[in-house]
């Protein structure tokens, strides 16, 4: 990569989280000019109301139960998360001095202004709201997304969990793809595949996935900055997934040991 590309600004847009900071810090270790646009997490109630229109309230209430279990799993799974972080030498908190711009939403005028002012060579989305077509049109550089699932087969949420449930462990992994107006529908740039570790659950899969994928994220950012955008057709069916309902999650865990 040439020197100009090496020093071009990189913007990461995210809601944050340990697994996302592991990726951000890997990128910040490689590039000299990285800014994080940190959005306020979307209201869970607003998210669930929108989802209920599509799936119905019975499914949504079941998903709320699983979300509560996931939250408990993170609280009581701190030791396991620390084991993963130690195993892969992950840095799961913002670095001192990291340039962070706080915005209410990735689609807010403040976010668009920040990106416009920074003039990045690439914008990486990692765990943030879906960008509107208007926001995308206002960004004058390639926009790519880190997704914790193998696209297009495991678009949406909990890609690692659903791969295991579907006896599809070979598709336990992540995707970096170009961003379009759909949900995880952009052209695929990179797949990274791995395996769950002993003791992993739906609460820890994202950290495991980030650990196996951070170098790939760095590599794709480097290639995009150098003008090398090489999408490929993975030849997979396309499906979007959500949280499992709590009753199906518990039943699958008891029956098959997939938590």
């Amino acid at each position: 990569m040439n020197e100009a590309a090496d020093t071009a600004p990189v913007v990461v847009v995210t809601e944050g989280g340990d697994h996302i900071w592991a990726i951000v810090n890997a990128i910040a270790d490689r590039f000299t000019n990285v800014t994080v646009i940190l959005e306020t997490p979307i209201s869970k109630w607003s998210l669930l109301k929108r989802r209920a229109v599509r799936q119905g309230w019975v499914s949504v209430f079941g998903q709320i139960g699983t979300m509560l279990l996931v939250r408990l799993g993170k609280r009581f799974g701190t030791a396991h998360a620390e084991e993963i972080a130690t195993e892969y030498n992950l840095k799961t908190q913002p670095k001192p001095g990291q340039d962070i711009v706080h915005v209410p939403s990735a689609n807010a005028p403040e976010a668009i202004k920040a990106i416009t002012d920074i003039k990045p060579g690439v914008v990486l989305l990692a765990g943030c709201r879906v960008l509107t077509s208007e926001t995308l049109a206002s960004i004058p550089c390639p926009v790519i997304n880190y997704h914790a699932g193998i696209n297009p087969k495991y678009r949406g949420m909990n890609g690692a969990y659903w791969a295991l449930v579907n006896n599809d462990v070979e598709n336990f992994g992540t995707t970096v793809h170009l961003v379009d107006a759909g949900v995880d529908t952009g052209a695929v740039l990179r797949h990274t595949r791995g395996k769950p570790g002993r003791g992993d659950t739906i609460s820890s899969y994202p950290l495991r996935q980030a650990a196996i994928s951070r170098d790939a994220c760095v590599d794709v950012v480097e290639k995009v900055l150098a003008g090398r955008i090489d999408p490929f057709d993975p030849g997979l069916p396309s499906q979007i997934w959500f949280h499992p309902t709590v009753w199906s999650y518990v039943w699958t865990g008891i029956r098959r040991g997939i938590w």
Side-chain angles (χ1 to χ4, degrees):
M1 187 167 67
N2 62 46
E3 184 177 350
D6 192 45
T7 58
V10 175
V11 166
V12 182
V13 183
T14 182
E15 285 186 0
D18 289 355
H19 62 294
I20 299 300
W21 284 114
I23 292 171
V24 171
N25 288 328
I27 291 171
D29 284 344
R30 170 63 183 85
F31 302 100
T32 58
N33 190 351
V34 177
T35 299
V36 176
I37 295 181
L38 190 64
E39 69 170 2
T40 302
I42 189 171
S43 161
K44 292 293 187 292
W45 178 244
S46 297
L47 182 66
L48 292 169
K49 281 196 297 184
R50 291 207 300 265
R51 197 175 295 170
V53 173
R54 178 173 184 170
Q55 299 176 267
W57 278 108
V58 173
S59 291
V60 167
F61 281 127
Q63 291 172 24
I64 291 172
T66 304
M67 291 165 66
L68 292 174
L69 287 180
V70 170
R71 185 173 297 180
L72 286 173
K74 287 181 179 179
R75 181 173 299 177
F76 292 104
T78 302
H80 184 61
E82 290 175 352
E83 289 174 1
I84 296 174
T86 299
E87 178 183 354
Y88 291 94
N89 191 28
L90 302 179
K91 303 166 187 174
T92 58
Q93 297 298 318
K95 285 184 175 184
Q98 174 63 58
D99 189 7
I100 300 175
V101 178
H102 293 269
V103 299
S105 164
N107 292 301
E110 297 93 328
I112 296 170
K113 182 179 186 304
I115 294 172
T116 302
D117 290 346
I118 293 167
K119 298 181 175 64
V122 62
V123 172
L124 170 66
L125 311 182
C128 68
R129 290 169 173 82
V130 175
L131 297 191
T132 65
S133 56
E134 291 79 11
T135 298
L136 277 174
S138 71
I139 300 176
C141 69
V143 182
I144 60 178
N145 181 57
Y146 165 76
H147 172 66
I150 295 293
N151 282 356
K153 194 172 185 179
Y154 295 103
R155 296 163 44 229
M157 307 181 70
N158 301 303
Y161 173 80
W162 288 117
L164 297 178
V165 169
N166 291 331
N167 295 313
D168 192 20
V169 68
E170 62 269 24
N171 281 317
F172 181 101
T174 67
T175 303
V176 182
H177 63 91
L178 293 170
V179 176
D180 59 19
V183 178
D184 302 326
T185 53
V188 174
L189 300 175
R190 179 70 60 87
H191 281 157
T192 304
R193 291 175 168 87
K195 294 181 179 179
R198 185 179 182 87
D200 278 351
T201 69
I202 198 170
S203 300
S204 62
Y205 296 144
L207 189 59
R208 180 78 62 182
Q209 290 169 287
I212 66 176
S213 304
R214 56 183 172 157
D215 290 343
C217 290
V218 171
D219 185 60
V220 173
V221 168
E222 185 174 281
K223 284 180 167 59
V224 172
L225 288 175
R228 295 160 55 197
I229 300 177
D230 303 310
F232 68 95
D233 181 359
L236 294 170
S238 179
Q239 186 168 349
I240 190 166
W241 301 82
F242 300 95
H243 283 301
T245 58
V246 67
W247 44 85
S248 68
Y249 176 72
V250 171
W251 175 243
T252 300
I254 293 171
R255 187 167 56 94
R256 299 179 55 195
I258 299 173
W259 295 98

